[in-house]
Amino acid sequence: MHTIDANGARIPALGLGTWTLEGEGCANLVAHALEVGYRHLDTAAMYANEEAVGDGLRRSGVARDDVFVTTKVWWTDLGADDLRRSAETSLEKLGLDQVDLLLIHWPNPAVPLDETIAALNNARTDGLARHIGVSNFPTKLLAEAIALSDAPLVANQVEHHPYLDQSKVHAACREAGMAMTSYCPLARGGDLFAERVIVEAAGKHGRTPGQIVLRWHLQQDGIVAIPRTTKRERLAENFAIFDFALTDAEMQAISSLGATNMRICDYDFSPSWDSH
Ligand SMILES: NC(=O)c1ccc[n+]([C@@H]2O[C@H](COP(=O)([O-])OP(=O)(O)OC[C@H]3O[C@@H](n4cnc5c(N)ncnc54)[C@H](OP(=O)(O)O)[C@@H]3O)[C@@H](O)[C@H]2O)c1
């Protein structure tokens, strides 16, 4: 398994995104993913599926310590007491003593960042999380969070796919020794998979468009990708990306789609994003 070393964390470069997965279906899919070889699960308090993710982990028979589990604290819970309660509830639901990575899901300007970052550090010091990080932090906020944190932040999870150039956030993460985790790594499928550069690379390598896009993520420095699927057969497809390589020309051609500048996850509570 290809892993990313980030400020003391060793993060499996391909994880399973679990947003929208629920109940038995989620538990079965998580268990199957671990059987296929996944060793990284991404959940969040907001996904309301932490019990199912924990069930899937236990059902798989894979040792707890062999799996990297990430959860996140929702942006309405960033006060010190709320963050603590959220992290404790997540552990209870997951049935775990500790997560590998605890993230702030989205920033919240109504709560002082120093209070949130101190609470995140306390969660780590008290053993609720092995590592801490953030999500949806543009470069300016990321720099503030890094400066405020006693323990190094290990990852910034952001929307990233060929239709969205995130080179500024990526450079900031690498400069700080952090991983950048790509969410919506497939841009949710659709039009992207019909792009000529993707289709041509798929033909040349004998791979599917999804595999080409995931390979593009993993061939970049310090990038982790967490694709989601609701289909068992696609778990193996999305995992079979470690035995081929895109050429530099293919990497560049796919990256040039970033000029599209398409952002999928943009809400009224989103921060002010980096310009392109
Ligand atoms: N931090 C945040 O704010 C944030 C925000 C959004 C997402 N996330 C995380 O990132 C994860 C992934 O993002 P996402 O779920 O939004 O989008 P995504 O992984 O880019 O796309 C998922 C979609 O692609 C389809 N798909 C998966 N593999 C495929 C393949 N090989 N060929 C064709 N279609 C395929 C899936 O359909 P099927 O189910 O039919 O396979 C699903 O509709 C989430 O599950 C979540 O864990 C985090």
Side-chain angles (χ1 to χ4, degrees), residues 73-84:
V73 179
W74 193 236
W75 64 273
T76 51
D77 286 331
L78 299 190
D81 293 347
D82 293 334
L83 187 147
R84 180 63 170 221

Side-chain angles (χ1 to χ4, degrees), residues 8 14 20 24 34 54-55 67 79 93 95 100 106 112 127 137 140 143 158 166 192 200 210 231 239-241 246:
L14 189 75
T20 75
E24 268 302 284
L34 294 169
D55 283 348
V67 183
K93 290 186 171 168
D100 296 275
W106 289 84
F137 272 48
K140 187 167 170 288
V158 295
Q166 286 283 32
L192 177 61
E200 279 180 9
K231 300 196 171 64
F239 197 73
I241 55 168
L246 298 171

Side-chain angles (χ1 to χ4, degrees), residues 172-190:
C173 287
R174 294 316 285 154
E175 201 165 308
M178 297 169 65
M180 184 175 91
T181 302
S182 304
Y183 78 65
C184 301
L186 300 169
R188 303 217 172 127

Side-chain angles (χ1 to χ4, degrees), residues 213-230:
V213 173
L214 292 174
R215 182 70 207 179
W216 171 83
H217 285 280
L218 268 53
Q219 247 175 260
Q220 298 176 60
D221 179 43
I223 288 192
V224 172
I226 49 168
R228 161 182 59 115
T229 179
T230 55

Side-chain angles (χ1 to χ4, degrees), residues 16-20 42-43 47 72 105-106 135-136 157-158 182-189 193 208 210-211 226-231 234 237-238 265 267:
L16 177 68
T18 67
W19 179 60
T20 75
D42 182 81
T43 182
Y47 301 169
K72 317 183 192 84
H105 205 148
W106 289 84
S135 176
N136 294 301
Q157 183 180 125
V158 295
S182 304
Y183 78 65
C184 301
L186 300 169
R188 303 217 172 127
F193 290 174
T208 66
Q211 289 173 321
I226 49 168
R228 161 182 59 115
T229 179
T230 55
K231 300 196 171 64
R234 282 191 175 150
E237 176 187 335
N238 291 349
C265 293
Y267 307 106

